[in-house]
Amino acid sequence: MSDNKDRLTYRPEPETKQKIERWYQEDNCRSKNEFIEKAVNCYADMLAAGESATLPRAVQSAIDSRLKLFEDRIVALLYKQTVEMDMAMSILLQSLNVSEEVLRQERAKSIAAVKRTNGQLRLEQKLRELESEAWQC
């Protein structure tokens, strides 16, 4: 009697009925009920995925975990690079006597150079700029 409680009456359109007839065997389902249940679960998972409705939840989860690993690796590399840069700056500033005014001027020049090159500044370009400045003086 509890079986009747869970029954669902479904009257598909003729076009949908043809699709079910064709695809339930292609999908290796034992019955049309199994096929319809799989279709409903697939659609429900797609809706639950929200913004990434085109990807199954398992695929989205795999992508997210790979991105997390990638982000963690980049963070670790940037941290190591920042430590090395801080060490180099400390050594450089200890060996040179540079005033805060000179540092401010150099920062302004560096910001302008980075903006001008869209962050693609290279050491060779900087050397050419310094040589042209020295030549103009």
Side-chain angles (χ1 to χ4, degrees):
M1 188 146 177
S2 66
D3 263 356
N4 288 337
K5 209 190 244 185
D6 293 337
R7 287 184 183 255
L8 173 68
T9 304
Y10 175 64
R11 294 185 183 97
E13 296 292 322
E15 195 175 284
T16 306
K17 190 173 183 177
Q18 288 175 348
K19 288 179 186 177
I20 293 170
E21 286 289 337
R22 176 172 180 232
W23 290 106
Y24 92 93
Q25 290 176 342
E26 289 274 335
D27 196 33
N28 296 322
C29 292
R30 294 174 296 223
S31 67
K32 293 175 191 172
N33 282 344
E34 182 184 355
F35 178 77
I36 291 170
E37 187 170 339
K38 285 173 73 175
V40 168
N41 286 334
C42 179
Y43 185 65
D45 286 347
M46 184 182 77
L47 291 175
E51 294 174 9
S52 61
T54 58
L55 295 175
R57 194 179 320 179
V59 173
Q60 186 64 47
S61 176
I63 290 171
D64 290 345
S65 66
R66 293 298 292 174
L67 282 175
K68 176 75 170 112
L69 290 172
F70 183 64
E71 288 172 354
D72 291 347
R73 185 163 184 224
I74 287 176
V75 166
L77 289 171
L78 286 173
Y79 178 78
K80 288 177 184 177
Q81 183 182 17
T82 303
V83 168
E84 295 298 319
M85 190 168 45
D86 183 65
M87 287 173 45
M89 285 189 306
S90 296
I91 291 169
L92 184 64
L93 289 174
Q94 286 173 5
S95 63
L96 302 172
N97 237 350
V98 181
S99 69
E100 283 190 46
E101 181 59 31
V102 171
L103 285 177
R104 272 192 227 104
Q105 290 172 355
E106 289 303 314
R107 179 174 309 282
K109 287 181 192 175
S110 293
I111 290 171
V114 169
K115 285 181 180 179
R116 185 176 61 252
T117 61
N118 198 23
Q120 301 296 317
L121 189 62
R122 296 176 46 117
L123 199 54
E124 293 87 355
Q125 290 172 312
K126 192 69 174 175
L127 180 62
R128 280 188 226 117
E129 286 177 14
L130 291 174
E131 286 174 347
S132 70
E133 284 178 14
W135 187 75
Q136 290 173 0
C137 289

